[in-house]
Amino acid sequence: AQTVTQSQPEMSVQEAETVTLSCTYDTSENNYYLFWYKQPPSRQMILVIRQEAYKQQNATENRFSVNFQKAAKSFSLKISDSQLGDTAMYFCALDDKIIFGKGTRLHILP
Amino acid sequence: NAGVMQNPRHLVRRRGQEARLRCSPMKGHSHVYWYRQLPEEGLKFMVYLQKENIIDESGMPKERFSAEFPKEGPSILRIQQVVRGDSAAYFCASSPPGTGPNEKLFFGSGTQLSVL
């Protein structure tokens, strides 16, 4: 069975700092996709970043980057120069039906 | 270019009533996915539909729940004889033809169902 585990229920960091959100997963598939989704108070799910397992290069989207360790089944999200608008729930997810972790509530403090 | 539209945003039902949740995908999208989110939980997959076809309903409860995506009109998630445990946020997502959930999904803002 596929599982996704986020071990940090809640985190707080100062604005402009860098923060890393952890995610581990389990799957028997060799090729798969991993995602980080952001859910702000508006409740809408927004795709932050996507990683294809067969690609060794870590995905990057502006201030967001991942550290993908396939052997360790780890997929952490790094947010650089954090901004107040980054305050949200962050969900790690695994395909193909998009199995979601329980989320990390991130607070960016002014 | 409107995004994925879900209505109503909030729905209150008494136990035993029926709940109908609507989802209009983004223009040009032919794939619809329904997810359920319990408080402090991630989203859980329920069903994946294309126009007039259910592709994968492995996440749907066997009883009381049904979904459709007709040729014309929105996708409907129907819950019959609701119970308090059905209280949750229900999210719809869509993706363009030729893609699946591995591609980018566009989510609606969800319907919060409260069962009294």
Side-chain angles (χ1 to χ4, degrees):
Chain A
Q2 294 182 320
T3 59
V4 176
T5 302
Q6 293 179 249
S7 58
Q8 304 152 311
E10 196 159 359
M11 298 181 71
S12 297
V13 295
Q14 294 294 135
E15 190 177 8
E17 288 186 349
T18 294
V19 60
T20 299
L21 281 59
S22 302
C23 173
T24 57
Y25 62 93
D26 192 20
T27 180
S28 57
E29 300 293 326
N30 189 46
N31 193 25
Y32 47 89
Y33 296 79
L34 291 157
F35 309 85
W36 278 97
Y37 278 89
K38 170 185 177 181
Q39 187 178 40
S42 66
R43 211 170 60 186
Q44 187 158 13
M45 297 289 284
I46 302 165
L47 178 65
V48 174
I49 202 163
R50 170 177 173 267
Q51 174 82 41
E52 298 171 74
Y54 68 87
K55 288 187 176 179
Q56 292 186 339
Q57 186 173 4
N58 289 327
T60 299
E61 287 287 341
N62 301 315
R63 297 183 296 107
F64 299 87
S65 61
V66 298
N67 182 6
F68 174 47
Q69 302 289 328
K70 190 173 183 179
K73 294 184 178 175
S74 170
F75 184 62
S76 60
L77 174 69
K78 185 172 84 170
I79 306 174
S80 303
D81 186 26
S82 57
Q83 301 174 359
L84 295 178
D86 296 333
T87 293
M89 281 289 286
Y90 286 82
F91 293 98
C92 179
L94 169 68
D95 78 344
D96 60 349
K97 298 185 182 72
I98 312 292
I99 310 296
F100 283 84
K102 292 190 175 183
T104 295
R105 187 177 301 279
L106 178 63
H107 302 276
I108 307 300
L109 307 173
Chain B
N1 183 18
V4 178
M5 303 300 293
Q6 289 189 249
N7 67 82
R9 183 125 168 105
H10 300 276
L11 181 62
V12 180
R13 285 288 177 265
R14 296 191 180 279
R15 280 181 298 169
Q17 291 184 321
E18 178 180 287
R20 291 171 70 87
L21 288 63
R22 294 175 182 77
C23 169
S24 295
M26 284 186 71
K27 186 176 181 180
H29 287 193
S30 57
H31 300 198
V32 165
Y33 311 81
W34 285 95
Y35 294 84
R36 176 164 61 178
Q37 184 180 30
L38 296 171
E40 305 304 317
E41 298 276 335
L43 277 67
K44 293 195 184 300
F45 169 80
M46 298 182 75
V47 62
Y48 164 32
L49 310 104
Q50 294 179 16
K51 287 280 188 181
E52 299 183 281
N53 282 307
I54 297 175
I55 306 302
D56 184 344
E57 57 181 347
S58 58
M60 286 278 272
K62 295 288 184 265
E63 298 178 345
R64 302 188 297 108
F65 285 71
S66 62
E68 63 176 7
F69 188 18
K71 187 177 181 181
E72 301 291 338
S75 175
I76 305 289
L77 179 67
R78 182 182 178 204
I79 311 172
Q80 295 178 290
Q81 299 175 333
V82 296
V83 300
R84 289 213 173 106
D86 296 332
S87 295
Y90 291 83
F91 286 88
C92 169
S94 71
S95 65
T99 66
N102 294 330
E103 305 292 329
K104 184 176 181 178
L105 286 180
F106 295 83
F107 280 85
S109 295
T111 293
Q112 179 65 49
L113 172 64
S114 298
V115 179
L116 304 179

